[in-house]
Amino acid sequence: MANFIDRRLNAKGKSTVNRQRFINRYKQQIKKSVSDAVTRRSVTDVDKGEKIGIPTRDITEPSFHQGKGGVRERVHPGNDQFTRGDKIERPPSGNGQGAGQGDASDSGEGEDDFVFQISKDEYLELLFEDLELPNLQNNRLNKLVEYQVYRAGFSNEGVPSNINIVRSLRSSLARRIAMSSSKKKELNKLIIELEELENTPGAETERILFLKQEITALKQKIAKVPFIDTFDLRYNNFAKREIPSSQAVMFCIMDVSGSMDQATKDMAKRFYILLYLFLTRTYKNLDVVYIRHHTQAKEVDEHEFFYSQETGGTIVSSALKLMHQIQKERYPENEWNIYAAQASDGDNWADDSPGCKKLLETKLLPVVRYFSYIEITNRAHQTLWREYESLQKDFDNIAVQHIKQAEDIYPVFRELFKKQAV
């Protein structure tokens, strides 16, 4: 029986295979910890790794042990408190002797949660798993690139789980033939010569002894050729190849008016940072257009979009008009998949909201693949929300969501960009 043991140096990832297996096994608990971590972080460190804690009870493994066999009779002591069929009440809580807050136990032992660190890539992979841009269609296949894993022959290096047994044994057979074929030919010649001498009367005894010694030595050399060697191992090789798909642009529209207090702006920034990380990580060369607005709208770069302190009144239609202008000049709808995400606290000049609806209805929704609007407020919805919501009756490519607190950001984000059933 041959044993395959991987002894190659892997200094920076000695447990890579086991780590991925562990993450896949407990993905549900890890994803819950990741989604909780999003709301606890500041805007500047939302894309860093995370320390994950899993309750010990969730990582217990089944164990097998030798049971007591046979038929046994035992006598157990009775009691004067309970009889068969009685229901036992749960012991009252709060009898612990500790000084901390909450309920505690005055007996028994426990274990801390299992805690481990996941990297930035693992964190983002779990954060954006099962998300995609809705309604993405093929237009011009020349810019947006996705990757697909495919079989790419065989390799001399790899992980044990990718060993190709047939190829490895075929390589082993070729090596053994190459190392022992000449010895076997020589052995056959010596055996034939020895048989002739033994059948010839008066043959030289010394020659016969010499031939027997040579035959024994050759058999030992042939037997020392190993059945399998690390040189023989072949692994299934996997590679990534680029799959060209449609080119796309995302318009990010954020309200920075005076009604947006710092906490509301911070939640809007969190949403857009999640969106930015999702787009740049998932889609290569996708264009992102940043628009900030108060009474006037302007296109800005990434840094100014997230960190500028500019403020003013609120006229939402200015941003929608600028988006339509940029789209017509740079992103023709027959060549681009157009997406938009708008964040606001719902405040708008009362006479402007019907104009926003008309802009969306006549100019933007007919050309965009998906338009998402999030309203960040604890107050009652105002005219802008009602106008946007009424559009959902006639258009299936607009989504309206409400965020009240930071904990709502990630669930709303996943709801907006979850993968659609085929």
Side-chain angles (χ1 to χ4, degrees), residues 25-136:
R25 179 177 297 177
Y26 301 105
K27 182 170 288 186
Q28 183 177 356
Q29 294 93 327
I30 296 173
K31 286 182 72 173
K32 184 179 183 302
S33 297
V34 167
S35 61
D36 292 342
V38 173
T39 59
R40 296 196 308 265
R41 294 182 167 203
S42 66
V43 173
T44 56
D45 64 353
V46 72
D47 63 336
K48 295 182 180 178
E50 177 64 23
K51 186 175 290 185
I52 299 297
I54 300 178
T56 306
R57 65 178 180 273
D58 290 344
I59 60 173
T60 55
E61 297 284 351
S63 60
F64 297 92
H65 57 85
Q66 187 69 33
K68 297 179 180 179
V71 179
R72 298 172 180 266
E73 293 185 1
R74 294 184 179 180
V75 178
H76 296 279
N79 66 82
D80 57 356
Q81 298 178 8
F82 307 105
T83 59
R84 185 173 181 177
D86 287 350
K87 293 184 178 181
I88 303 175
E89 295 182 358
R90 184 186 299 274
S93 59
N95 293 330
Q97 304 299 322
Q101 297 179 353
D103 298 335
S105 172
D106 58 356
S107 61
E109 297 180 355
E111 292 186 39
D112 291 336
D113 290 350
F114 176 74
V115 179
F116 71 104
Q117 185 80 22
I118 61 174
S119 66
K120 173 184 174 181
D121 288 338
E122 291 169 337
Y123 175 80
L124 295 177
E125 183 71 27
L126 292 166
L127 195 65
F128 301 127
E129 190 178 39
D130 302 326
L131 301 182
E132 66 177 2
L133 289 176
N135 306 324
L136 189 67

Side-chain angles (χ1 to χ4, degrees), residues 311-342:
T311 186
T314 311
I315 298 180
V316 175
S317 61
S318 62
L320 299 180
K321 290 176 182 177
L322 179 59
M323 172 186 166
H324 179 63
Q325 178 184 342
I326 295 173
Q327 179 265 316
K328 285 298 181 183
E329 292 176 355
R330 288 155 39 190
Y331 304 103
E333 61 270 19
N334 62 332
E335 298 180 5
W336 289 80
N337 286 282
I338 303 166
Y339 297 88
Q342 181 181 358

Side-chain angles (χ1 to χ4, degrees), residues 114-375:
F114 176 74
V115 179
F116 71 104
Q117 185 80 22
I118 61 174
S119 66
K120 173 184 174 181
D121 288 338
E122 291 169 337
Y123 175 80
L124 295 177
E125 183 71 27
L126 292 166
L127 195 65
F128 301 127
E129 190 178 39
D130 302 326
L131 301 182
E132 66 177 2
L133 289 176
N135 306 324
L136 189 67
Q137 296 182 6
N138 292 335
N139 289 336
R140 286 177 54 191
L141 307 181
N142 65 348
K143 194 166 186 182
L144 184 62
V145 178
E146 299 178 56
Y147 293 95
Q148 181 184 45
V149 177
Y150 70 101
R151 281 285 303 276
F154 305 94
S155 171
N156 294 330
E157 296 181 353
V159 296
S161 60
N162 288 339
I163 287 180
N164 188 295
I165 301 297
V166 175
R167 285 279 179 167
S168 298
L169 293 179
R170 185 184 299 176
S171 177
S172 170
L173 178 62
R175 176 187 52 80
R176 284 183 280 122
I177 291 174
M179 294 181 67
S180 60
S181 59
S182 61
K183 296 182 180 64
K184 287 182 178 179
K185 289 181 181 179
E186 186 178 354
L187 177 63
N188 290 333
K189 290 181 181 179
L190 294 178
I191 291 174
I192 293 173
E193 184 180 352
L194 178 62
E195 289 177 351
E196 291 177 354
L197 289 175
E198 288 179 341
N199 295 329
T200 302
E204 297 181 5
T205 306
E206 293 181 357
R207 180 62 180 172
I208 293 175
L209 292 175
F210 174 77
L211 289 175
K212 288 182 177 181
Q213 291 176 355
E214 287 293 315
I215 290 172
T216 302
L218 283 173
K219 286 182 177 180
Q220 290 177 350
K221 289 181 180 180
I222 293 172
K224 288 181 179 179
V225 176
F227 178 80
I228 193 78
D229 191 83
T230 54
F231 176 79
D232 306 324
L233 298 182
R234 296 294 181 269
Y235 301 86
N236 295 326
N237 188 38
F238 297 91
K240 286 184 178 181
R241 61 183 167 196
E242 294 183 348
I243 303 177
S245 59
S246 302
Q247 53 188 5
V249 57
M250 171 64 78
F251 288 88
C252 297
I253 304 171
M254 184 164 63
D255 181 1
V256 292
S257 61
S259 61
M260 293 273 288
D261 59 24
Q262 192 57 43
T264 306
K265 288 180 180 179
D266 184 65
M267 284 192 281
K269 289 176 181 178
R270 284 175 182 270
F271 175 83
Y272 280 117
I273 285 178
L274 280 178
L275 180 60
Y276 173 77
L277 291 173
F278 166 61
L279 295 175
T280 54
R281 180 175 175 83
T282 309
Y283 300 96
K284 185 179 180 181
N285 295 327
L286 178 140
D287 283 8
V288 182
V289 178
Y290 299 101
I291 298 176
R292 291 164 57 97
H293 76 89
H294 36 80
T295 55
Q296 296 179 344
K298 68 174 180 178
E299 182 181 1
V300 296
D301 58 19
E302 173 190 332
H303 185 272
E304 187 176 354
F305 182 81
F306 287 114
Y307 301 108
S308 175
Q309 300 297 318
E310 188 177 0
T311 186
T314 311
I315 298 180
V316 175
S317 61
S318 62
L320 299 180
K321 290 176 182 177
L322 179 59
M323 172 186 166
H324 179 63
Q325 178 184 342
I326 295 173
Q327 179 265 316
K328 285 298 181 183
E329 292 176 355
R330 288 155 39 190
Y331 304 103
E333 61 270 19
N334 62 332
E335 298 180 5
W336 289 80
N337 286 282
I338 303 166
Y339 297 88
Q342 181 181 358
S344 173
D345 63 348
D347 281 350
N348 190 27
W349 189 259
D351 296 336
D352 186 59
S353 296
C356 294
K357 177 183 177 181
K358 187 175 181 181
L359 275 170
L360 284 170
E361 195 172 21
T362 59
K363 296 183 177 180
L364 295 179
L365 290 180
V367 300
V368 301
R369 299 285 180 221
Y370 193 62
F371 188 99
S372 59
Y373 171 72
I374 61 167
E375 189 162 297

